[in-house]
Amino acid sequence: MGKIDLEHLRSWIGKSRSDEDLIAARHARLMAATVDYPDVGRIRDGEPLPPLWHWIYFLEGLPARELGRDGHPARGGFLPPVPLANRMWAGGRVSFVAPPRIGSTVRKESSILDVTHKTGRSGDLVFVTVLHELRSPQGELLIREEHDIVYKDANVPAKTGVVAPPGTPAQFSSSWTPTTTTLFRYSALSFNGHRIHYDADYCREVEGYPNLVIHGPLQATLLAGFAEEASGRRLRDFNYRGLSPALLGDSITLHATVLEGRVVLYATRDKDTVCMQAEATLA
């Protein structure tokens, strides 16, 4: 492990890039098939894109020589060169100001918002927060998102312990068991090359997971969709945080409790461990 030079890493704050993409209905229909979306008739030009589906657009495709050993783009470009081997999608905060319409062209502006260093029981952790803003061609803000990425040392075992669910049962629940096909499809849709989602040997031997890891953003997407389904309303804001990895073979149960103007959510693996928690405010 290299020394954490926080001052150098924080020099990336403010670094930015932009992209533009067509919110194509074909790609959205493939996503609908992947998550078994209940209202496929809504997946057509002119309809609002379901919450968090913007993650399957604005894809970066680098040649193999520009990838790190984990399958992600090598460090030191847009993201700072954090000298900790393993990285994961930790959580984020998303505001749906005016959700993009399927069939429209959208511009994405991204910048490094913050870089912080913490030391805990598992050693060094570096958190990088990236700000993403999606805008219409006319400049109208559609989505504002703060995305948290966490880096940790390769020698620290992956946390797979129990995180107990709340004592009070949720009002609504729905179970789902992802398969290798699910993981493959979502990796392909999001062009996510992270090897923890398809390379079992890498999971066990390098990152310390006993099996393939179910994508954090996929779980967040399902929770956001479940919040809309349970409440019957569109989301205004969605905040989520990963607590424990969910692995291939786990049965994932989504839980939702609808309160005044908001929905409290969490996902459990095999009913006894919370893998992600979230809260949504309603439009």
Side-chain angles (χ1 to χ4, degrees):
M1 180 191 74
K3 181 177 181 296
I4 305 296
D5 184 350
L6 186 60
E7 183 178 354
H8 177 59
L9 298 179
R10 286 182 63 82
S11 71
W12 259 254
I13 294 175
K15 188 177 180 66
S16 63
R17 66 181 181 187
S18 61
D19 195 6
E20 189 174 274
D21 204 357
L22 171 68
I23 307 302
R26 178 183 292 273
H27 208 53
R29 285 194 293 269
L30 294 174
M31 179 65 174
T34 299
V35 299
D36 197 19
Y37 188 69
D39 190 3
V40 180
R42 273 189 53 201
I43 308 303
R44 62 178 186 270
D45 286 354
E47 291 287 334
L49 190 70
L52 304 184
W53 287 28
H54 67 280
W55 288 338
I56 66 169
Y57 296 94
F58 310 100
L59 307 180
E60 181 182 31
L62 296 178
R65 65 179 178 275
E66 297 180 27
L67 301 179
R69 67 163 190 170
D70 59 3
H72 273 315
R75 288 71 173 306
F78 173 65
L79 291 173
V82 179
L84 299 173
N86 297 347
R87 57 183 142 179
M88 60 188 296
W89 188 302
R93 297 151 298 284
V94 186
S95 294
F96 303 99
V97 181
R101 298 280 170 175
I102 297 172
S104 66
T105 298
V106 174
R107 187 161 190 82
K108 179 181 179 182
E109 301 167 354
S110 302
S111 60
I112 305 299
L113 195 62
D114 199 11
V115 180
T116 58
H117 173 223
K118 298 181 181 180
T119 303
R121 289 178 296 176
S122 58
D124 286 307
L125 297 171
V126 171
F127 291 86
V128 176
T129 300
V130 184
L131 171 65
H132 302 290
E133 292 183 329
L134 274 61
R135 297 182 179 273
S136 71
Q138 294 75 34
E140 176 192 9
L141 180 63
L142 306 175
I143 293 177
R144 186 186 188 278
E145 172 184 1
E146 294 182 8
H147 169 207
D148 298 327
I149 305 166
V150 63
Y151 298 78
K152 68 183 182 67
D153 186 59
N155 298 320
V156 178
K159 291 183 178 180
T160 56
V162 172
V163 180
T168 305
Q171 291 176 328
F172 306 94
S173 63
S174 176
S175 294
W176 160 74
T177 303
T179 64
T180 51
T181 301
T182 310
L183 302 190
F184 165 78
R185 283 181 161 192
Y186 190 74
S187 287
L189 280 167
S190 56
F191 211 71
N192 182 348
H194 199 175
R195 292 168 65 186
I196 60 173
H197 305 305
Y198 59 87
D199 187 337
D201 289 339
Y202 174 85
C203 283
R204 289 189 290 264
E205 297 169 9
V206 178
E207 300 218 11
Y209 297 105
N211 207 342
L212 300 179
V213 179
I214 299 167
H215 308 70
L218 176 57
Q219 295 177 56
T221 299
L222 291 168
L223 280 172
F226 194 52
E228 286 199 339
E229 180 183 339
S231 66
R233 293 168 60 182
R234 295 199 180 279
L235 305 189
R236 186 183 67 199
D237 300 288
F238 185 77
N239 301 337
Y240 65 97
R241 184 163 68 98
L243 298 182
S244 178
L247 306 176
L248 183 68
D250 289 338
S251 176
I252 307 300
T253 303
L254 311 176
H255 307 263
T257 297
V258 181
L259 304 172
E260 185 65 34
R262 64 190 178 101
V263 185
V264 176
L265 304 126
Y266 61 97
T268 54
R269 54 179 172 89
D270 291 335
K271 299 183 180 180
D272 61 356
T273 297
V274 178
C275 43
M276 181 169 286
Q277 66 180 22
E279 182 167 323
T281 57
L282 303 171

